[in-house]
Amino acid sequence: MTRNDWTKEEILDIYNKPLMELLYDAATVHRKHHDPNKVQVSTLLSIKTGGCPEDCGYCPQAARYHTDIEGNDLMSVSQVKAQALRAKASGSSRVCMGAAWRNVKDGEEFDNVLEMVRTINKLDMEVCCTLGMVTENQAQRLAEAGLYAYNHNLDSSEEYYKEVISTRGYQDRLDTIGNVRKSNVTVCSGGIIGMGESLDDRAGMLVALATLNPQPESTPINALVPVEGTPLEEQQKVSIWEMLRMVATTRIVMPETQVRLSAGRTDMSREGQAMCFFAGANSIFAGDKLLTTPNPDVNEDMEMFKLLGLEPQKPFEKKSQPQSVSAEESQYQPLGEKPKWSRPGHTIERNVEAKQKAKTKI
């Protein structure tokens, strides 16, 4: 039975159990709700890279920091289709398209993204987008185009979020998830561990996710990949034991959710990843990059699947394929909205220092 009334204290009690007991409990829950030998495989495609106006302390795509990321304008529909076909041939059932935007703006670029969604859906693949904040009307337009999932991570607890990002508020994240929920699109939302947060903050993030009703259909658990030039460049990487505890705890409090083993897999051994799958992770990103950070090669992943007796989950096993409505037949038209997403504007010293450091390098 899925609960939506978890408390931080209950989640901390689960997280801090003796590891073998925690893994056993998580594996038991996993087998009640999922096929333990199936893992959903996604390909993450950066359709617009760099130049983001936000100050997220972990992100190399923020324009204010000096990193080695090469920016690019929005890809064409034909480029995206070619990448999707490549992903399908390599075993992926879902393509996740990410654009380094603060929020979606009605106009030609969003219209092109809608066409990308229609194109990939017609390839019989699940389509996910992460484009920043969206309004209810924009979420409905994505749903009409055939979008399967929308990703918008909470990143951390509401309290620690303020130590990482100052250019938008936590409530904006929740409001975007709420707007997506009003459409027929599933929700993908998770966070990052290893940003300097406490165990209380990790539990707080899971409280925020697990008390959503319904809970997200997909929850990525990312390990921070420190990137030179970002405010979090000197953070120590999390251990596999921390990832295991986070995956297992997420599985227990969100039993029907697909728990996605996301950023940081390049630092995990096959044995470590196998333990994460045992603990309830049943989704990964394949391909050599996650937007801008390294990721294991898809051939390595398929070899690991063979060793572990895992098989890629077929598309639309959890929810039926949405139908794509053409732009001409769409019931939802652009409204030219200019929503007032928040700009908290408080000062995060390490973000300011990274910005100043970037100026001296230009």
Side-chain angles (χ1 to χ4, degrees), residues 60 81 116 133 168 199 227 275 287:
K81 182 178 181 180
M116 294 172 193
M133 280 91 75
R168 59 180 168 190
L199 293 187
V227 177
M275 290 296 285

Side-chain angles (χ1 to χ4, degrees), residues 154-193:
L154 294 184
D155 288 342
S156 189
S157 68
E158 184 169 7
E159 293 75 22
Y160 196 70
Y161 182 90
K162 298 169 187 173
E163 303 298 319
V164 180
I165 302 166
S166 73
T167 52
R168 59 180 168 190
Y170 204 73
Q171 189 59 45
D172 291 336
R173 303 266 183 171
L174 294 170
D175 289 346
T176 288
I177 291 171
N179 288 336
V180 173
R181 273 288 175 229
K182 293 170 187 174
S183 71
N184 193 37
V185 175
T186 63
V187 168
C188 175
S189 186
I192 308 168
I193 65 171

Side-chain angles (χ1 to χ4, degrees), residues 205-216:
M205 179 184 78
L206 288 181
V207 167
L209 291 166
T211 54
L212 292 172
N213 193 6
Q215 293 178 344

Side-chain angles (χ1 to χ4, degrees), residues 269-290:
S269 66
R270 281 183 175 173
E271 294 85 352
Q273 292 180 71
M275 290 296 285
C276 286
F277 293 133
F278 177 77
N282 61 340
S283 182
I284 61 167
F285 283 114
D288 60 353
K289 267 191 180 182
L290 291 186

